[in-house]
Amino acid sequence: LYRIENKPVNEYLSDDGVKLVNEFSKVYEEQKICQQKLEKLKEAIIIYSKKENINAVYGSDIKATVNSYENLRFPGKNDEKRENFIKAIKKSKLMNKIATIDVHELERMIKSNEINEKTLKKIEKFIEKTTSTIVRLGKK
């Protein structure tokens, strides 16, 4: 076994693929069950705090603080109100203040060669390439 950048030794590195995937699947399912349990507990704590009109619920040696915040929602990409919403923003001259670059859409366009070479050369110096690796489970 070897150590990477002061990380603790990975005790699974000597396991074979079958054992690795089986253990990964088991822990993944346990995590899903724990996440569901966390959501139910969170919901119960929120309901309890509202019922008791408190914003802190105390356990034996820990407390859960409950705060609510108002959020604003705007018409999404597939909302029928979206087009009129965009028109209203543009008419009010807010677009220059709030417009942002959709970097996910830009990445998609670059990967699918929708951006011409001249434009790509201008923005290349701002692009940092990284690699992400995802492990997903699926049926055999």
Side-chain angles (χ1 to χ4, degrees), residues 1 8 11 13 15 17-18 23 33 50 57-58 60 78 81 86 90 95 99 101 103 110 119 126-127 130 132-133 139:
L1 300 180
E11 67 271 21
L13 292 178
D15 292 349
V18 172
E23 185 67 13
I33 291 166
K50 284 182 181 178
V57 181
Y58 292 86
S60 301
N78 298 322
K81 299 178 200 170
I86 297 295
K90 286 181 178 178
M95 198 59 139
I101 296 169
V103 291
I110 290 171
T119 303
F126 302 106
I127 300 171
T130 62
S132 297
T133 305
K139 298 283 183 202

Side-chain angles (χ1 to χ4, degrees), residues 48-60:
Y48 179 84
S49 72
K50 284 182 181 178
K51 182 179 78 173
E52 298 295 323
N53 198 27
I54 55 177
N55 67 351
V57 181
Y58 292 86
S60 301

Side-chain angles (χ1 to χ4, degrees), residues 29-45:
E29 287 303 315
E30 289 171 356
Q31 178 187 10
K32 283 180 16 183
I33 291 166
C34 287
Q35 190 61 42
Q36 291 168 350
K37 187 174 180 179
L38 278 172
E39 289 302 317
K40 287 180 180 180
L41 287 165
K42 179 179 166 184
E43 178 185 26
I45 290 170

Side-chain angles (χ1 to χ4, degrees), residues 59-126:
S60 301
D61 57 355
I62 195 163
K63 76 173 178 177
T65 305
V66 181
N67 293 308
S68 296
Y69 303 95
E70 184 178 87
N71 298 305
L72 303 177
R73 291 222 157 170
F74 304 100
K77 286 184 178 181
N78 298 322
D79 191 318
E80 61 189 39
K81 299 178 200 170
R82 177 72 171 203
E83 190 175 326
N84 288 331
F85 171 68
I86 297 295
K87 285 179 186 176
I89 294 292
K90 286 181 178 178
K91 278 183 183 176
S92 70
K93 307 282 191 238
L94 279 173
M95 198 59 139
N96 290 339
K97 289 185 177 184
I98 63 171
T100 60
I101 296 169
D102 183 342
V103 291
H104 299 292
E105 178 64 10
L106 180 60
E107 179 180 16
R108 186 200 64 74
M109 292 173 74
I110 290 171
K111 286 181 175 179
S112 62
N113 296 316
E114 293 179 39
I115 296 182
N116 66 51
E117 194 65 33
K118 185 179 178 183
T119 303
L120 186 56
K121 286 213 182 291
K122 288 180 182 177
I123 63 173
E124 267 182 333
K125 62 184 169 195
F126 302 106

